[in-house]
Amino acid sequence: MALSPEQKDKILDRIKERTQTIRKCVVCGNNTWELSDGFFSMQENLSKLNLGGRGQPCVAVTCNNCGNTNLLNLMVLGLGDLIESPNA
């Protein structure tokens, strides 16, 4: 599901608060990143796929040059409320 402009702004603001500097991509050295449109979940139990089971809600930031992707945990960012909002 697509993120609303308000959700994107909230996520980007929190990332900027928590990072001292925007880091270069470790793969290609590029310094331009994009927030992916939607939420992702990392499954806690890798022995079987459990749709709707426990997972870690994340957002992805992707290098615009090489596609290197980093997942950021919404709970650690203090944004768990976003996954429970009507737009999530």
Side-chain angles (χ1 to χ4, degrees):
M1 180 163 294
L3 297 172
S4 71
E6 294 81 17
Q7 288 172 315
K8 285 183 180 181
D9 288 344
K10 192 171 184 179
I11 292 166
L12 291 171
D13 287 345
R14 184 60 50 89
I15 292 170
K16 289 175 187 173
E17 286 174 13
R18 299 275 178 107
T19 57
Q20 298 298 319
T21 61
I22 297 175
R23 307 219 185 255
K24 290 184 178 180
C25 176
V26 297
V27 175
C28 71
N30 183 51
N31 200 20
T32 307
W33 298 85
E34 184 173 329
L35 179 65
S36 296
D37 198 17
F39 297 113
F40 301 86
S41 179
M42 292 176 39
Q43 198 74 23
E44 289 185 355
N45 184 351
L46 296 179
S47 65
K48 63 180 177 177
L49 180 61
N50 184 9
L51 297 177
R54 285 186 52 176
Q56 298 295 315
C58 299
V59 290
V61 288
T62 303
C63 174
N64 286 340
N65 184 56
C66 73
N68 178 27
T69 302
N70 294 281
L71 295 176
L72 303 173
N73 187 308
L74 286 169
M75 303 308 284
V76 173
L77 290 175
L79 298 173
D81 62 309
L82 293 180
I83 60 169
E84 298 170 4
S85 71
N87 293 332

